[in-house]
Amino acid sequence: MRRELITPRSHWQSQAESYGFNFHTLYGEPYWDESRYYAFTLEQIERDLEDPTTELNQMCLEVVDKVVDSEELMTKFAIPREHWEMVARSWRLKDPALYARLDLAYDGNGPAKLLENNADTPTSLYESAFFQWLWLEDRLKDGTLAAGSDQFNSIQDKLITRFAELKRSWPPVPLHFACCQDTDEDRGTVQYLQDCAEEAGLKAYFTYIEEIGLTPHGGFIDGQDRPIHAAFKLYPWEFMLREEFGQYLDKSQTRWLEPGWKSVLSNKALLPMLWKLFPNHPNLLPAYFADEVHLAGKSKLVEKPIYSREGANVRILEGGQTVADSDGPYGEEGVIYQAFQPLPRFDKDYALIGSWLVGDQAAGISVREDSSLITQDLSRFIPHIILP
């Protein structure tokens, strides 16, 4: 694994905008950054990233199986009691999932370490699946990359295949796609997923979350009063379970992507549970619930809210003192502690691997860079290759 500096393509911004990648620059700072790329060997991809991603996913599913059958664990995971049965039932009925992203610390040597599972509303999908592949094709054509260079990226193909599977197994009704208003990134991601679904032959509608309403019988309808029988929502379960409309989630009988059981997987309480079930696994870091943190001894720790997104409200602790932290609105439901694992550093930047799953299949990676130890929503996206 190495980082190579290159000259960006002269037309990349116009290309991005022509394909709807309107969030390539955020708040005046580059989000997509092709002044560099990361290069991996095929062995690093297959042995250190692809295979562990598949194994870690299966381990995470074992945690779900334990949690949904335990009142004690559902409490530790801060899932509202009134929704326990709905969450458990979605697991028992094997409600299908679409995708997830595992965040991994990996420097090219030794096993990758799981930092967290973004299993409900993972970001950076469009740029991972589509735009970095366009970059690869262009750089092969202009000779910047050696012939035979490849990319670990079958995300789009697997998404289309997954939607085709859902078309066969779900009721034959339109699939709604929803996200919040006033966010270019979320709208772009949802539009991309809707395009993949339509490519697979699904009829699809879009609605903003804010437009969703109720019928007199407690069913959900979109902004044009069409019933929502099945929906992909780029909106977190921890919000849905606590908001006013949450009381209608069960009686509405709407089927959701991601399903209700993803409220267990997208929860940082997953990390100490993994460590309990698979202690000393080479791809795991020691992790503890707040009432067990004494077991960590004097090790350097990362404090993470049970519910947190984009690196918000994370603290890195050494000897009980904060050495790095991030702002945000999370932490009310409690925190967990995970052993600190340094990200690989290239000059002044730290690199984080995002390893994508579609269904239960490892599908590709993304790389994010930040000058901070804590990767956040504005951290830069860097393309990658597999060396020929």
Side-chain angles (χ1 to χ4, degrees):
M1 174 183 174
R2 66 175 191 256
R3 187 176 76 169
E4 300 286 351
L5 303 180
I6 55 171
T7 301
R9 297 168 296 158
S10 61
H11 71 292
W12 77 262
Q13 287 173 305
S14 59
Q15 183 191 58
E17 288 156 14
S18 71
Y19 281 105
F21 187 10
N22 299 315
F23 51 96
H24 60 73
T25 302
L26 297 170
Y27 306 105
E29 296 294 329
Y31 167 63
W32 169 268
D33 185 352
E34 58 175 74
S35 66
R36 63 208 60 197
Y37 65 87
Y38 281 86
F40 300 83
T41 66
L42 182 60
E43 183 180 38
Q44 287 173 328
I45 291 292
E46 293 181 339
R47 179 197 63 199
D48 295 346
L49 298 174
E50 183 177 15
D51 289 347
T53 293
T54 301
E55 183 177 0
L56 285 166
N57 178 59
Q58 291 304 310
M59 291 158 57
C60 289
L61 297 180
E62 288 190 41
V63 172
V64 179
D65 203 45
K66 298 277 187 187
V67 172
V68 298
D69 281 336
S70 167
E71 292 187 1
E72 178 186 0
L73 292 175
M74 292 287 260
T75 301
K76 277 186 173 290
F77 276 63
I79 294 172
R81 180 180 292 270
E82 61 269 26
H83 296 298
W84 285 359
E85 178 53 34
M86 185 198 71
V87 170
R89 187 170 62 251
S90 77
W91 174 250
R92 296 188 197 109
L93 293 176
K94 296 182 170 58
D95 284 348
L98 181 62
Y99 71 145
R101 191 192 76 234
L102 305 183
D103 283 349
L104 304 173
Y106 177 67
D107 64 2
N109 300 294
K113 299 291 187 181
L114 177 68
L115 300 180
E116 61 189 58
N117 187 348
N118 300 274
D120 186 17
T121 58
T123 55
S124 71
L125 177 70
Y126 170 86
E127 48 274 39
S128 299
F130 183 72
F131 200 71
Q132 72 168 338
W133 186 260
L134 289 183
W135 168 87
L136 175 74
E137 291 181 328
D138 277 358
R139 304 270 64 171
L140 284 168
K141 287 176 186 174
D142 68 21
T144 300
L145 298 176
S149 298
D150 202 353
Q151 194 174 87
F152 180 31
N153 187 1
S154 60
I155 303 169
Q156 179 165 300
D157 288 344
K158 283 185 167 64
L159 283 170
I160 294 169
T161 299
R162 184 62 173 157
F163 278 121
E165 293 169 352
L166 293 175
K167 182 186 175 188
R168 292 192 295 270
S169 62
W170 275 29
V173 295
L175 178 61
H176 276 77
F177 286 80
C179 70
C180 290
Q181 294 174 336
D182 302 324
T183 162
D184 287 343
E185 182 178 4
D186 286 6
R187 185 66 187 97
T189 299
V190 169
Q191 182 61 62
Y192 172 68
L193 282 167
Q194 184 174 338
D195 290 345
C196 289
E198 290 174 337
E199 179 73 18
L202 278 165
K203 186 175 183 180
Y205 296 133
F206 175 78
T207 188
Y208 285 113
I209 292 287
E210 293 87 346
E211 294 175 339
I212 294 176
L214 287 170
T215 69
H217 303 291
F220 291 118
I221 52 175
D222 68 13
Q224 297 183 42
D225 294 335
R226 294 175 297 213
I228 301 176
H229 298 294
F232 170 88
K233 84 285 179 303
L234 198 65
Y235 194 67
W237 271 109
E238 64 262 29
F239 294 177
M240 292 172 67
L241 297 179
R242 287 166 171 79
E243 292 174 346
E244 182 182 354
F245 275 23
Q247 64 184 299
Y248 300 101
L249 285 168
D250 210 3
K251 65 183 73 173
S252 73
Q253 298 187 331
T254 298
R255 301 184 69 176
W256 299 98
L257 283 174
E258 296 297 318
W261 58 263
K262 282 290 190 88
S263 61
V264 176
L265 279 196
S266 60
N267 186 316
K268 303 299 188 298
L270 171 74
L271 301 170
M273 277 301 299
L274 282 169
W275 188 247
K276 287 176 184 293
L277 292 181
F278 306 98
N280 302 311
H281 188 281
N283 296 116
L284 294 179
L285 294 167
Y288 310 93
F289 289 106
D291 59 0
E292 302 168 334
V293 68
H294 60 279
L295 299 174
K298 296 182 179 180
S299 58
K300 193 173 181 179
L301 296 172
V302 182
E303 180 187 273
K304 298 180 176 181
I306 285 176
Y307 295 119
S308 173
R309 296 182 173 273
E310 301 287 4
N313 298 100
V314 170
R315 289 201 303 156
I316 299 174
L317 305 170
E318 187 167 14
Q321 301 298 311
T322 301
V323 296
D325 63 1
S326 57
D327 295 329
Y330 303 103
E332 180 181 338
E333 290 82 13
V335 298
I336 61 96
Y337 294 88
Q338 184 182 49
F340 174 77
Q341 177 73 21
L343 296 174
R345 187 173 183 180
F346 297 84
D347 295 329
K348 297 180 180 180
D349 298 305
Y350 298 93
L352 174 75
I353 306 292
S355 188
W356 290 91
L357 288 143
V358 178
D360 291 326
Q361 294 183 294
I365 63 167
S366 53
V367 183
R368 302 283 299 278
E369 263 190 6
D370 203 294
S371 57
S372 166
L373 279 168
I374 301 171
T375 307
Q376 299 183 70
D377 57 344
L378 300 183
S379 300
R380 297 179 305 282
F381 187 103
I382 314 296
H384 80 278
I385 69 164
I386 302 174
L387 293 164

